[in-house]
Amino acid sequence: MMNRRYMLVSTGAACSALMSCSAPISSDQSYIRTVVSRDRNTTVCHWTDIMLQAIRNQSVAPPPATRAFAMAHVAGFNALNGISGGYQGSLSVGQGPKGADLHAAYAVAFSTALGAALNSSFSIDLHQFLATRPDGDPKDLGVKWGHQVALALIRSRIHDGAEPSRSAHYLGRYPRRQDNLKWSPTGPFYSAGGGPSFANFARGLLPGWGGVTPWSIPSASTFLALDFPEEGSAEFNRQLEKVRALGSAHSKVRSSDQRQIAFFWEDGPRGVTPPGHWQIIAMGLLQRKPMSLLSEARSFALLSSAQADAGIATWQSKYAHDVVRPETYIRKRAKDPTPGWQTLIPTPGFPSYTSGHSAFSASSARMLALLLGTDRVQFSSTSPDLVNWPHVLTDVRRSWSSLSQAAQEGGDSREYGGIHWEADNTAGLMAGRRIADHVFANSFRKVE
């Protein structure tokens, strides 16, 4: 099967479905063309772009997407650090070969680890990249070392809990709620009134992802959210009325700007994913700060580790708390249900509390602020993919005066879209910031 990523605009050639090809920087398939100038297209950005294209074209869900980001970026950083030194690595691979080609080592480590994470081959991308490097001993040493580091990284993650036999099932990890807030899939074909109830649809997306081995944090439970507001309490009723009014498809209180925000950050299926959206933002912002190849690789390894741990912690909270989505509650379970109530954007098929968008946004924004030395960063962005909402987002560019402002907007977007409670957003933002702080303080530290 062919897809848009496999059409090489520059050569007119096609790749087989078992291979992967990068799009040239001038192509609409490339994510870096709007954020990185041609003369600043570094090796790290080049491979990050290839990775994001693969995530988009394979329609990878956010949690496994962050695992792929971390595997590739952490492998690439460790390959460079083993040669250049200066930081604490995360793999026991020893000293790298002196004089090895750093770019070749990074490319091989990155592409090999990414291929393992996505069960894909990036051999054509790698062949094209290595053809730009001078032949000789440095290149050969870099290739061999990059492969060695990638294999060490892959071995360390083989049994990390992400395998489908563990991540796609409850396996008795979480007792289901038995009250009126118990999550169930949203949609007219699930337990429809007067129709059958399909128990096999009761499993949401990756109920075991909270058990995946973290990259930096001690455990997902360390960042488990506090209890969700009790049904019928004043706080619960306040949040219920807020989302009922603000998140409705036909809301009379949501502003046009809030509507645009909901679509802009939706990043739904067939796109680069919410954490991938922040990877694109990071490529643009980190180019503003002069840094070595090793420093840039470390920055993305830190970013991806924070995103991956945010995903693990969020999924732990989602299934530990097992909270219903607003749409299901408003339609069927509220004391005054509104059967025809609909959200602005589609309700995802997994529990509500806490919000992955909020955690991914906050962890990414906080990590970038730590790397740049300030939260006060002015920047703007377009929607990375116009597949789902082209009628709303074409020619739209949003701007922010700080990273935290953008993160808050990303979290708020889920309330504007009607698919999250306020508590989901608030708790997700808090966890994301705390996770980024932990990762930055404890991972890949400078050797004194």
Side-chain angles (χ1 to χ4, degrees), residues 267-281:
D267 295 324
R270 301 177 294 167
V272 74
T273 76
H277 191 159
W278 278 96
Q279 292 274 338
I280 297 169
I281 291 172

Side-chain angles (χ1 to χ4, degrees), residues 81-113:
N81 193 53
I83 299 170
S84 300
Y87 298 96
Q88 295 177 358
S90 58
L91 298 172
S92 299
V93 290
Q95 183 74 36
K98 292 183 179 180
D101 185 324
L102 294 172
H103 300 269
Y106 186 89
V108 172
F110 187 108
S111 61
T112 304

Side-chain angles (χ1 to χ4, degrees), residues 230-250:
E230 184 178 350
E231 183 187 21
S233 66
E235 177 60 20
F236 176 83
N237 289 336
R238 182 188 69 80
Q239 293 191 29
L240 171 61
E241 294 313 311
K242 179 182 180 182
V243 71
R244 194 201 300 259
L246 186 62
S248 167
H250 308 291

